[in-house]
Amino acid sequence: MPTAITPRRRSRDDVEADGEGGASPDLIPSSQPELPSSKRARLTNDNASSSSLSGTTFTNGYHPQSSVLQQETLRAQDSWKKYQPGSIVRVELKNFVTYTAVEFFPGPSLNMVIGPNGTGKSTLVCAICLGLGWGPQHLGRAKEVSEYVKHGCQEAMIEIELAKDGKRFRNNIVIRCTIKRDGNKTVFSVNGKPQGKKAVIELCKSLSIQIDNLCQFLPQDKVVEFAAMTPIELLRSTQRAVASQEMIDMHETLKDLRRKQKDIQTKSTADQEQLDNLESRQRLQEADVERMRERELVETHVQMLEAARPFAAYRSARFAHGEAKEKRKAAQNELTRLQKEVEPSLRAANAKEQYKAQIAAVVTERKTAISQVERQADAIDKKFKDLQDKHNELVAADSAEKSGGKKHRQEIIRLEGNINQLKRQMEVEPSELDVQAYNRRIREKRDAVDDSTTRIGDLKKHQEELKRRGQDKNHRIKQAEDDLAQLDSQAGKQKSKLQGVSPDTYKLWEWLQQNQDQFEKPVYGPPIVECTVKDPKYVNHIESLFQTSIMTSFTAQTNSDYKKLSNQAHDRMRLSEINIRTVVYGLDPFRPPVSAEEMKSVGFEGWALDYLNGPEPVLAMLCGELHIHEAGIASRDTTPQQFQLLHNSPIQSWVTSKSTYRITRRREYGPGATSTQVKDVRRAVVWTDQPVDLTAKRELQANIQGWTEEVATFQAEMDGDQKKILAYRNAINTNSEEGKAISAEKEAKQKALGEFKALPTKLAAQEAKLATAQNALSGIKGRLRDIMEQQEIVALKRGQIALDYADAVEAIRACHKNLHEAEIMLIEANSDFEILRERNSSVQELLEDQQRQVDALVRETEALQKTAKAMLNKCSQLLAGVQDDLRRFLNGLPANQTTEQLEDEIESEKARLELMHEGNGGVIKEYEQRKKKIDALTARLEEIKNALSEVDDKIKELRDQWEPELDSLVGKISNSFSLNMEQINCAGEVGVHKDEDFEQWAIQIRVKFRESEPLTTLDSHRQSGGERAVSTIFYLMSLQSLTRSPFRVVDEINQGMDPRNERLVHKRMVGIACGVLDGTAQQSQSLENGHDEEDREDGVAGQGRGGSQYFLITPKLLHNLTYERGMRILCIASGEYMSSDRSRVDFKGCVDLMKGLKAEAMAAAAGG
């Protein structure tokens, strides 16, 4: 098949590196021409309408016309099978990755997208994924969607036209996706109407499009991920690709039911183990529980006996009370008998005792009379003293009245003098006062002061503004002087270069130099200012390795410092072009890829790291980002022999005097899958010793001179303002003093006028006081007469009371005399009584002794009665508050049981307790609690058993539906897979690995590539990479006729195959995708023979067969591959040598021209 050679595709790093030079050339791929439709004309570089070759006639008479291919394509589309709903009819891209503008028209069956590496084949795959709403994570390339916008552009456009379904959509569905670089946003529309990303994905899913299923959509960078897919994941993806949603839901439900079943079984096992353990422990404690219960019975009996102690004590107390009562009665009888016997001898003594008592009563009565008489005398004495106090008060009042008269006469004289003075003052009237005139003069002075104060404030504000502007100018002068001084230093030159490359980075570097103390560790500036090149002859070599983003990157040593610097740059300073890297290690991890001897053998003089000076963290950052420790430096170009050695070595990049080389190796495609990128060495512009910028120097000097003159002008204006301020302050002082004088004069006049107006009121007050004093003086004589009269009355009362007191004293004397006579008679009676009592002392002692016995027995009887009553109350209370069993026990006690007998029985029971083992006090409680747990677990196990039975029934019912369908589906896949393997003389089958756990069900692919070996499971240990690739593509092909998705994409799946397998796989893929099976359709022909006649026939073999639309992307093709009707070849040619006029690129014309030349050659050979 004819192929075209195009320049190597430029990598994203190249595009970024060209940011300082020129824009990258437009890469305009060419595919099928546009189809006439209602859509607007597609974008071309200059919208050329005709080919420049249209007027040229070749030797074979061929006239290239682009419309011929377009008409033939339209006829082929009309004649071939229809597009399935949701299949891709058209793809248009603008400013997407490497494309400026392109339009694809894939066919409804197999579409082979071919072209050299780097032309943009996989870009079509990326466009399908992003244009239908899925994210970049499904591509395995860039993480941000904005990275797919072409370098130098702000937005990209993807427009995909999907085939209509005839139900919801009567016309084809056009989905447009616009990707905006700013904000990393995507905007979607469907048929011209704006739609959200979620709505677009839901629309695609409704058409069974599965971009996120590797069985349906396999991008180039996801091939390794598909190969690493586990059999379990493969089963899930296979069901999503070919099974109904109901079948997928049944599988998920079975997984959930199995998880629920395992949870129930786990709970059942755990509960059963716990139940067995509890029952075992229960059996072991039964004997101990019985002993503890017997001990509890004995303890209860002891407690009841102890509770019976009050009842025994009550019976003892009642018995003792009876005995004491009998003794008291006997003692009382004995006392009565003795009293009768000694009555005659005691009668005289008793009579004398009664006489003594009568005399003692008379003595007491006369003492009482003396006390009454003495109280009467004391009352008379008190009245006399009260009258004496009244007399003293009258004497004092007389003296006070006489003294008050003297004071009133003096007050009258003083008041008369004041009245005369006030009358004289009223005769002299003060001058008139014009208050408004005074107020007007005061306001004038105050207004003058306020005006001067305002003017001073304005002048001070003007001075502050001039001072601020002067400080600003001085700061600018200082900065300009520093910049002027730095222009002559190397560091200053580098800072100037940094400012020219990135003004935002320069601003942040200036801030960082003044705020290093805010960070945990030193933060380093960009390599432009931090690094230098050791040898100037390698400056071009070193700078060729650098990109602008790395050259202006800051280096932080901790994550917190990174966040702080990033927040300062973006949030506070609002800077945009800022790059920050974090390095937490030194240079130790970075070692050269080869030894020094090997390095010299390939012509290197050293590594890029060897020629750079700078802080270690900055060099470590450059090693991590640019791998300068692995980039070789050579002053001479690389020879072919050296290039071959480098190609087979681990070295990936190096720089010579003219070119930079970068080798890209793709391990997933084998050791031979490499590409080499070569670029010219750029001239250094950063680390060079250039002369001082004289324009910048003159500009700085001019600025310094201008700002200095402005500062002098500001100072002169400030001096003038200061003089004005002094003048206004003097005016303020003058006006203030004059205003104060006017106010004082006004206040003095106002005071005099007020005092004159108040004179009548003061005169009236003084006259009122004079009248009051005169009235008080006239009343003093009357009050003196009243006092004298009261004194006479008090003197008369005092005389009468003195007579009464003398009578009281005489009465006291007579009472004392009577008392003395009675006391003498009492002494005589006591003497007689003592004589008689001495004579009867023995008889009396006998009676007293008996009386004491009687009293003691009475007290004992009362005490015992009280004790018995107390015990009875206690027993009653106990009986009222005890339980029935204790009450029955107490009522059943023997009536004659004594306290001693009860205590003996208690001691006996306690001794029995001591003989029993006490054991664990809580064993019975533990035993009963465990019994409750056993009952609860037994009930719960029964519930779990029922729930498990219900889940088992559901699993069986659902499995009986799902498993046969899965077996049937996998059986069809296996039949197709086996047939595909047989076509390349191999064998294979597909089965289902079944497990009790539905999570572990998996697709099991078994293959055999040699007759001598058995079928073995496909894995990375048994089969080679090519064999796995063949098996994978055949498995995907086996899904073709069963797939539910309208299109499938496979990108570079043939990279690991050998030519034989690739040819066989291609033939089989064409047969399946185009619906042409062996023996059922016309014979396949090679691409080299062409298909002009067949393409013009109406009706094609395989019409309506072959499954869904298929995209096969590959960069390499063998010669004489199989071609069938229905295939569409999309040849991508792009690069800087592509014509900007699309009409001049006519692949159909090239094919026809080749046919004509071959026909002429064959005719010439036949004629010769």
Side-chain angles (χ1 to χ4, degrees), residues 974 977-990 1005-1011 1013-1016 1023 1031 1034:
S974 180
F977 182 75
S978 299
L979 181 60
N980 292 336
M981 295 293 288
E982 288 175 3
Q983 302 305 311
I984 63 171
N985 298 322
C986 298
E989 64 179 16
V990 180
I1005 302 175
R1006 303 179 71 226
V1007 295
K1008 181 175 73 171
F1009 287 90
R1010 300 163 190 84
E1011 293 184 0
E1013 64 182 15
L1015 286 171
T1016 56
Q1023 288 79 25
S1031 303
F1034 274 166

PDB file of all heavy atoms in Angstrom, residues 974 977-990 1005-1011 1013-1016 1023 1031 1034:
ATOM      1  N   SER A 974     -16.595 -17.339  22.926  1.00  0.00           N
ATOM      2  CA  SER A 974     -15.597 -18.410  22.804  1.00  0.00           C
ATOM      3  C   SER A 974     -15.591 -19.006  21.405  1.00  0.00           C
ATOM      4  O   SER A 974     -14.535 -19.283  20.830  1.00  0.00           O
ATOM      5  CB  SER A 974     -15.877 -19.487  23.856  1.00  0.00           C
ATOM      6  OG  SER A 974     -14.943 -20.543  23.767  1.00  0.00           O
ATOM      7  N   PHE A 977     -13.909 -16.518  19.239  1.00  0.00           N
ATOM      8  CA  PHE A 977     -12.486 -16.457  19.574  1.00  0.00           C
ATOM      9  C   PHE A 977     -11.762 -17.685  19.043  1.00  0.00           C
ATOM     10  O   PHE A 977     -10.664 -17.592  18.478  1.00  0.00           O
ATOM     11  CB  PHE A 977     -12.331 -16.338  21.097  1.00  0.00           C
ATOM     12  CG  PHE A 977     -10.912 -16.211  21.552  1.00  0.00           C
ATOM     13  CD1 PHE A 977     -10.215 -15.022  21.396  1.00  0.00           C
ATOM     14  CD2 PHE A 977     -10.260 -17.283  22.142  1.00  0.00           C
ATOM     15  CE1 PHE A 977      -8.910 -14.904  21.826  1.00  0.00           C
ATOM     16  CE2 PHE A 977      -8.955 -17.167  22.570  1.00  0.00           C
ATOM     17  CZ  PHE A 977      -8.276 -15.970  22.413  1.00  0.00           C
ATOM     18  N   SER A 978     -12.385 -18.852  19.188  1.00  0.00           N
ATOM     19  CA  SER A 978     -11.770 -20.086  18.682  1.00  0.00           C
ATOM     20  C   SER A 978     -11.626 -20.032  17.172  1.00  0.00           C
ATOM     21  O   SER A 978     -10.585 -20.416  16.609  1.00  0.00           O
ATOM     22  CB  SER A 978     -12.615 -21.298  19.094  1.00  0.00           C
ATOM     23  OG  SER A 978     -12.699 -21.396  20.491  1.00  0.00           O
ATOM     24  N   LEU A 979     -12.664 -19.540  16.492  1.00  0.00           N
ATOM     25  CA  LEU A 979     -12.606 -19.429  15.035  1.00  0.00           C
ATOM     26  C   LEU A 979     -11.512 -18.459  14.608  1.00  0.00           C
ATOM     27  O   LEU A 979     -10.767 -18.728  13.651  1.00  0.00           O
ATOM     28  CB  LEU A 979     -13.961 -18.963  14.504  1.00  0.00           C
ATOM     29  CG  LEU A 979     -14.082 -18.829  12.978  1.00  0.00           C
ATOM     30  CD1 LEU A 979     -13.819 -20.171  12.294  1.00  0.00           C
ATOM     31  CD2 LEU A 979     -15.458 -18.314  12.598  1.00  0.00           C
ATOM     32  N   ASN A 980     -11.406 -17.343  15.322  1.00  0.00           N
ATOM     33  CA  ASN A 980     -10.357 -16.388  14.999  1.00  0.00           C
ATOM     34  C   ASN A 980      -8.976 -16.996  15.180  1.00  0.00           C
ATOM     35  O   ASN A 980      -8.071 -16.808  14.339  1.00  0.00           O
ATOM     36  CB  ASN A 980     -10.485 -15.146  15.881  1.00  0.00           C
ATOM     37  CG  ASN A 980     -11.724 -14.346  15.572  1.00  0.00           C
ATOM     38  OD1 ASN A 980     -12.252 -14.426  14.466  1.00  0.00           O
ATOM     39  ND2 ASN A 980     -12.202 -13.582  16.541  1.00  0.00           N
ATOM     40  N   MET A 981      -8.758 -17.734  16.254  1.00  0.00           N
ATOM     41  CA  MET A 981      -7.460 -18.364  16.498  1.00  0.00           C
ATOM     42  C   MET A 981      -7.159 -19.442  15.475  1.00  0.00           C
ATOM     43  O   MET A 981      -5.993 -19.652  15.083  1.00  0.00           O
ATOM     44  CB  MET A 981      -7.424 -18.933  17.915  1.00  0.00           C
ATOM     45  CG  MET A 981      -7.517 -17.885  19.031  1.00  0.00           C
ATOM     46  SD  MET A 981      -6.081 -16.801  19.104  1.00  0.00           S
ATOM     47  CE  MET A 981      -4.856 -17.932  19.761  1.00  0.00           C
ATOM     48  N   GLU A 982      -8.204 -20.150  15.009  1.00  0.00           N
ATOM     49  CA  GLU A 982      -7.986 -21.193  14.005  1.00  0.00           C
ATOM     50  C   GLU A 982      -7.489 -20.601  12.700  1.00  0.00           C
ATOM     51  O   GLU A 982      -6.750 -21.255  11.950  1.00  0.00           O
ATOM     52  CB  GLU A 982      -9.287 -21.953  13.772  1.00  0.00           C
ATOM     53  CG  GLU A 982      -9.674 -22.873  14.925  1.00  0.00           C
ATOM     54  CD  GLU A 982     -11.031 -23.517  14.705  1.00  0.00           C
ATOM     55  OE1 GLU A 982     -11.622 -23.272  13.636  1.00  0.00           O
ATOM     56  OE2 GLU A 982     -11.501 -24.242  15.610  1.00  0.00           O
ATOM     57  N   GLN A 983      -7.900 -19.334  12.403  1.00  0.00           N
ATOM     58  CA  GLN A 983      -7.480 -18.714  11.155  1.00  0.00           C
ATOM     59  C   GLN A 983      -5.979 -18.461  11.111  1.00  0.00           C
ATOM     60  O   GLN A 983      -5.413 -18.284  10.039  1.00  0.00           O
ATOM     61  CB  GLN A 983      -8.235 -17.399  10.948  1.00  0.00           C
ATOM     62  CG  GLN A 983      -9.744 -17.533  10.936  1.00  0.00           C
ATOM     63  CD  GLN A 983     -10.221 -18.545   9.912  1.00  0.00           C
ATOM     64  OE1 GLN A 983      -9.804 -18.497   8.755  1.00  0.00           O
ATOM     65  NE2 GLN A 983     -11.073 -19.461  10.326  1.00  0.00           N
ATOM     66  N   ILE A 984      -5.331 -18.427  12.234  1.00  0.00           N
ATOM     67  CA  ILE A 984      -3.863 -18.243  12.265  1.00  0.00           C
ATOM     68  C   ILE A 984      -3.185 -19.517  12.749  1.00  0.00           C
ATOM     69  O   ILE A 984      -2.065 -19.481  13.274  1.00  0.00           O
ATOM     70  CB  ILE A 984      -3.500 -17.050  13.156  1.00  0.00           C
ATOM     71  CG1 ILE A 984      -3.922 -17.287  14.606  1.00  0.00           C
ATOM     72  CG2 ILE A 984      -4.119 -15.761  12.645  1.00  0.00           C
ATOM     73  CD1 ILE A 984      -3.405 -16.231  15.566  1.00  0.00           C
ATOM     74  N   ASN A 985      -3.914 -20.666  12.596  1.00  0.00           N
ATOM     75  CA  ASN A 985      -3.366 -21.984  12.953  1.00  0.00           C
ATOM     76  C   ASN A 985      -3.020 -22.068  14.439  1.00  0.00           C
ATOM     77  O   ASN A 985      -2.022 -22.684  14.821  1.00  0.00           O
ATOM     78  CB  ASN A 985      -2.129 -22.289  12.107  1.00  0.00           C
ATOM     79  CG  ASN A 985      -2.458 -22.364  10.622  1.00  0.00           C
ATOM     80  OD1 ASN A 985      -3.522 -22.887  10.242  1.00  0.00           O
ATOM     81  ND2 ASN A 985      -1.569 -21.840   9.781  1.00  0.00           N
ATOM     82  N   CYS A 986      -3.814 -21.457  15.243  1.00  0.00           N
ATOM     83  CA  CYS A 986      -3.664 -21.554  16.700  1.00  0.00           C
ATOM     84  C   CYS A 986      -5.003 -21.976  17.288  1.00  0.00           C
ATOM     85  O   CYS A 986      -5.973 -22.233  16.551  1.00  0.00           O
ATOM     86  CB  CYS A 986      -3.223 -20.206  17.293  1.00  0.00           C
ATOM     87  SG  CYS A 986      -1.622 -19.642  16.684  1.00  0.00           S
ATOM     88  N   ALA A 987      -5.057 -22.109  18.582  1.00  0.00           N
ATOM     89  CA  ALA A 987      -6.289 -22.525  19.225  1.00  0.00           C
ATOM     90  C   ALA A 987      -6.544 -21.644  20.435  1.00  0.00           C
ATOM     91  O   ALA A 987      -5.615 -21.096  21.036  1.00  0.00           O
ATOM     92  CB  ALA A 987      -6.215 -23.997  19.648  1.00  0.00           C
ATOM     93  N   GLY A 988      -7.803 -21.538  20.777  1.00  0.00           N
ATOM     94  CA  GLY A 988      -8.163 -20.741  21.941  1.00  0.00           C
ATOM     95  C   GLY A 988      -9.611 -20.930  22.319  1.00  0.00           C
ATOM     96  O   GLY A 988     -10.432 -21.356  21.499  1.00  0.00           O
ATOM     97  N   GLU A 989      -9.905 -20.641  23.564  1.00  0.00           N
ATOM     98  CA  GLU A 989     -11.269 -20.704  24.038  1.00  0.00           C
ATOM     99  C   GLU A 989     -11.435 -19.705  25.165  1.00  0.00           C
ATOM    100  O   GLU A 989     -10.465 -19.296  25.812  1.00  0.00           O
ATOM    101  CB  GLU A 989     -11.623 -22.112  24.518  1.00  0.00           C
ATOM    102  CG  GLU A 989     -10.812 -22.574  25.734  1.00  0.00           C
ATOM    103  CD  GLU A 989     -11.203 -23.968  26.217  1.00  0.00           C
ATOM    104  OE1 GLU A 989     -11.860 -24.673  25.436  1.00  0.00           O
ATOM    105  OE2 GLU A 989     -10.840 -24.320  27.346  1.00  0.00           O
ATOM    106  N   VAL A 990     -12.681 -19.342  25.392  1.00  0.00           N
ATOM    107  CA  VAL A 990     -13.009 -18.393  26.453  1.00  0.00           C
ATOM    108  C   VAL A 990     -14.023 -19.050  27.369  1.00  0.00           C
ATOM    109  O   VAL A 990     -15.025 -19.620  26.889  1.00  0.00           O
ATOM    110  CB  VAL A 990     -13.579 -17.079  25.888  1.00  0.00           C
ATOM    111  CG1 VAL A 990     -13.919 -16.121  27.024  1.00  0.00           C
ATOM    112  CG2 VAL A 990     -12.598 -16.434  24.924  1.00  0.00           C
ATOM    113  N   ILE A1005      -9.362 -16.771  29.613  1.00  0.00           N
ATOM    114  CA  ILE A1005      -8.940 -16.951  28.225  1.00  0.00           C
ATOM    115  C   ILE A1005      -7.818 -17.975  28.190  1.00  0.00           C
ATOM    116  O   ILE A1005      -6.792 -17.790  28.859  1.00  0.00           O
ATOM    117  CB  ILE A1005      -8.476 -15.624  27.613  1.00  0.00           C
ATOM    118  CG1 ILE A1005      -9.595 -14.572  27.691  1.00  0.00           C
ATOM    119  CG2 ILE A1005      -8.017 -15.802  26.177  1.00  0.00           C
ATOM    120  CD1 ILE A1005      -9.177 -13.205  27.211  1.00  0.00           C
ATOM    121  N   ARG A1006      -8.017 -19.046  27.410  1.00  0.00           N
ATOM    122  CA  ARG A1006      -7.008 -20.112  27.280  1.00  0.00           C
ATOM    123  C   ARG A1006      -6.602 -20.179  25.809  1.00  0.00           C
ATOM    124  O   ARG A1006      -7.450 -20.201  24.911  1.00  0.00           O
ATOM    125  CB  ARG A1006      -7.564 -21.429  27.767  1.00  0.00           C
ATOM    126  CG  ARG A1006      -8.068 -21.345  29.219  1.00  0.00           C
ATOM    127  CD  ARG A1006      -8.654 -22.648  29.718  1.00  0.00           C
ATOM    128  NE  ARG A1006      -7.645 -23.665  29.918  1.00  0.00           N
ATOM    129  CZ  ARG A1006      -7.725 -24.924  29.513  1.00  0.00           C
ATOM    130  NH1 ARG A1006      -8.785 -25.318  28.830  1.00  0.00           N
ATOM    131  NH2 ARG A1006      -6.759 -25.783  29.737  1.00  0.00           N
ATOM    132  N   VAL A1007      -5.296 -20.174  25.556  1.00  0.00           N
ATOM    133  CA  VAL A1007      -4.776 -20.139  24.184  1.00  0.00           C
ATOM    134  C   VAL A1007      -3.685 -21.190  24.008  1.00  0.00           C
ATOM    135  O   VAL A1007      -3.098 -21.701  24.978  1.00  0.00           O
ATOM    136  CB  VAL A1007      -4.215 -18.736  23.855  1.00  0.00           C
ATOM    137  CG1 VAL A1007      -5.305 -17.692  23.866  1.00  0.00           C
ATOM    138  CG2 VAL A1007      -3.123 -18.344  24.855  1.00  0.00           C
ATOM    139  N   LYS A1008      -3.429 -21.502  22.721  1.00  0.00           N
ATOM    140  CA  LYS A1008      -2.351 -22.422  22.340  1.00  0.00           C
ATOM    141  C   LYS A1008      -1.795 -21.931  21.011  1.00  0.00           C
ATOM    142  O   LYS A1008      -2.505 -21.867  20.003  1.00  0.00           O
ATOM    143  CB  LYS A1008      -2.873 -23.860  22.211  1.00  0.00           C
ATOM    144  CG  LYS A1008      -1.781 -24.872  21.827  1.00  0.00           C
ATOM    145  CD  LYS A1008      -2.300 -26.293  21.818  1.00  0.00           C
ATOM    146  CE  LYS A1008      -3.203 -26.508  20.599  1.00  0.00           C
ATOM    147  NZ  LYS A1008      -3.554 -27.932  20.423  1.00  0.00           N
ATOM    148  N   PHE A1009      -0.506 -21.585  20.992  1.00  0.00           N
ATOM    149  CA  PHE A1009       0.130 -21.077  19.781  1.00  0.00           C
ATOM    150  C   PHE A1009       1.005 -22.127  19.105  1.00  0.00           C
ATOM    151  O   PHE A1009       1.548 -21.871  18.038  1.00  0.00           O
ATOM    152  CB  PHE A1009       0.970 -19.833  20.128  1.00  0.00           C
ATOM    153  CG  PHE A1009       0.129 -18.624  20.421  1.00  0.00           C
ATOM    154  CD1 PHE A1009      -0.299 -18.350  21.716  1.00  0.00           C
ATOM    155  CD2 PHE A1009      -0.253 -17.768  19.401  1.00  0.00           C
ATOM    156  CE1 PHE A1009      -1.065 -17.248  21.974  1.00  0.00           C
ATOM    157  CE2 PHE A1009      -1.018 -16.647  19.667  1.00  0.00           C
ATOM    158  CZ  PHE A1009      -1.438 -16.383  20.961  1.00  0.00           C
ATOM    159  N   ARG A1010       1.187 -23.288  19.730  1.00  0.00           N
ATOM    160  CA  ARG A1010       1.999 -24.363  19.148  1.00  0.00           C
ATOM    161  C   ARG A1010       1.270 -25.682  19.335  1.00  0.00           C
ATOM    162  O   ARG A1010       0.611 -25.909  20.354  1.00  0.00           O
ATOM    163  CB  ARG A1010       3.385 -24.406  19.808  1.00  0.00           C
ATOM    164  CG  ARG A1010       4.156 -23.096  19.634  1.00  0.00           C
ATOM    165  CD  ARG A1010       5.304 -22.988  20.610  1.00  0.00           C
ATOM    166  NE  ARG A1010       5.893 -21.648  20.593  1.00  0.00           N
ATOM    167  CZ  ARG A1010       5.419 -20.620  21.278  1.00  0.00           C
ATOM    168  NH1 ARG A1010       4.350 -20.792  22.041  1.00  0.00           N
ATOM    169  NH2 ARG A1010       6.003 -19.442  21.190  1.00  0.00           N
ATOM    170  N   GLU A1011       1.416 -26.570  18.348  1.00  0.00           N
ATOM    171  CA  GLU A1011       0.683 -27.829  18.400  1.00  0.00           C
ATOM    172  C   GLU A1011       1.139 -28.706  19.563  1.00  0.00           C
ATOM    173  O   GLU A1011       0.373 -29.499  20.093  1.00  0.00           O
ATOM    174  CB  GLU A1011       0.861 -28.585  17.075  1.00  0.00           C
ATOM    175  CG  GLU A1011       0.206 -27.903  15.884  1.00  0.00           C
ATOM    176  CD  GLU A1011       0.333 -28.737  14.629  1.00  0.00           C
ATOM    177  OE1 GLU A1011       0.937 -29.822  14.720  1.00  0.00           O
ATOM    178  OE2 GLU A1011      -0.157 -28.299  13.577  1.00  0.00           O
ATOM    179  N   GLU A1013       1.926 -27.957  22.558  1.00  0.00           N
ATOM    180  CA  GLU A1013       1.603 -27.516  23.908  1.00  0.00           C
ATOM    181  C   GLU A1013       0.090 -27.529  24.101  1.00  0.00           C
ATOM    182  O   GLU A1013      -0.683 -27.426  23.145  1.00  0.00           O
ATOM    183  CB  GLU A1013       2.136 -26.100  24.156  1.00  0.00           C
ATOM    184  CG  GLU A1013       1.517 -25.035  23.301  1.00  0.00           C
ATOM    185  CD  GLU A1013       2.116 -23.659  23.546  1.00  0.00           C
ATOM    186  OE1 GLU A1013       3.189 -23.576  24.175  1.00  0.00           O
ATOM    187  OE2 GLU A1013       1.494 -22.678  23.097  1.00  0.00           O
ATOM    188  N   PRO A1014      -0.375 -27.674  25.374  1.00  0.00           N
ATOM    189  CA  PRO A1014      -1.814 -27.687  25.637  1.00  0.00           C
ATOM    190  C   PRO A1014      -2.336 -26.254  25.746  1.00  0.00           C
ATOM    191  O   PRO A1014      -1.588 -25.285  25.740  1.00  0.00           O
ATOM    192  CB  PRO A1014      -1.909 -28.419  26.975  1.00  0.00           C
ATOM    193  CG  PRO A1014      -0.629 -28.064  27.666  1.00  0.00           C
ATOM    194  CD  PRO A1014       0.419 -27.967  26.587  1.00  0.00           C
ATOM    195  N   LEU A1015      -3.661 -26.168  25.839  1.00  0.00           N
ATOM    196  CA  LEU A1015      -4.275 -24.870  26.092  1.00  0.00           C
ATOM    197  C   LEU A1015      -3.867 -24.383  27.486  1.00  0.00           C
ATOM    198  O   LEU A1015      -3.997 -25.116  28.475  1.00  0.00           O
ATOM    199  CB  LEU A1015      -5.798 -24.967  25.997  1.00  0.00           C
ATOM    200  CG  LEU A1015      -6.386 -25.105  24.599  1.00  0.00           C
ATOM    201  CD1 LEU A1015      -7.875 -25.415  24.696  1.00  0.00           C
ATOM    202  CD2 LEU A1015      -6.172 -23.837  23.791  1.00  0.00           C
ATOM    203  N   THR A1016      -3.403 -23.151  27.583  1.00  0.00           N
ATOM    204  CA  THR A1016      -2.983 -22.573  28.862  1.00  0.00           C
ATOM    205  C   THR A1016      -3.646 -21.211  29.032  1.00  0.00           C
ATOM    206  O   THR A1016      -3.995 -20.538  28.071  1.00  0.00           O
ATOM    207  CB  THR A1016      -1.452 -22.399  28.936  1.00  0.00           C
ATOM    208  OG1 THR A1016      -1.033 -21.597  27.829  1.00  0.00           O
ATOM    209  CG2 THR A1016      -0.750 -23.740  28.889  1.00  0.00           C
ATOM    210  N   GLN A1023       2.909 -16.448  27.949  1.00  0.00           N
ATOM    211  CA  GLN A1023       2.922 -16.011  26.557  1.00  0.00           C
ATOM    212  C   GLN A1023       3.821 -14.778  26.401  1.00  0.00           C
ATOM    213  O   GLN A1023       4.015 -13.999  27.336  1.00  0.00           O
ATOM    214  CB  GLN A1023       1.501 -15.668  26.068  1.00  0.00           C
ATOM    215  CG  GLN A1023       0.604 -16.866  25.874  1.00  0.00           C
ATOM    216  CD  GLN A1023       0.035 -17.377  27.192  1.00  0.00           C
ATOM    217  OE1 GLN A1023      -0.071 -16.621  28.139  1.00  0.00           O
ATOM    218  NE2 GLN A1023      -0.318 -18.660  27.238  1.00  0.00           N
ATOM    219  N   SER A1031      -3.840 -12.355  21.115  1.00  0.00           N
ATOM    220  CA  SER A1031      -4.983 -12.848  21.885  1.00  0.00           C
ATOM    221  C   SER A1031      -5.914 -11.710  22.264  1.00  0.00           C
ATOM    222  O   SER A1031      -7.146 -11.837  22.220  1.00  0.00           O
ATOM    223  CB  SER A1031      -4.488 -13.573  23.145  1.00  0.00           C
ATOM    224  OG  SER A1031      -3.617 -14.633  22.800  1.00  0.00           O
ATOM    225  N   PHE A1034      -7.881 -10.470  19.172  1.00  0.00           N
ATOM    226  CA  PHE A1034      -8.886 -11.456  18.784  1.00  0.00           C
ATOM    227  C   PHE A1034     -10.047 -11.485  19.782  1.00  0.00           C
ATOM    228  O   PHE A1034     -11.202 -11.711  19.398  1.00  0.00           O
ATOM    229  CB  PHE A1034      -8.256 -12.846  18.666  1.00  0.00           C
ATOM    230  CG  PHE A1034      -7.641 -13.091  17.296  1.00  0.00           C
ATOM    231  CD1 PHE A1034      -6.783 -14.158  17.085  1.00  0.00           C
ATOM    232  CD2 PHE A1034      -7.922 -12.250  16.229  1.00  0.00           C
ATOM    233  CE1 PHE A1034      -6.223 -14.384  15.835  1.00  0.00           C
ATOM    234  CE2 PHE A1034      -7.363 -12.478  14.983  1.00  0.00           C
ATOM    235  CZ  PHE A1034      -6.502 -13.541  14.782  1.00  0.00           C
TER     236      PHE A1034
END
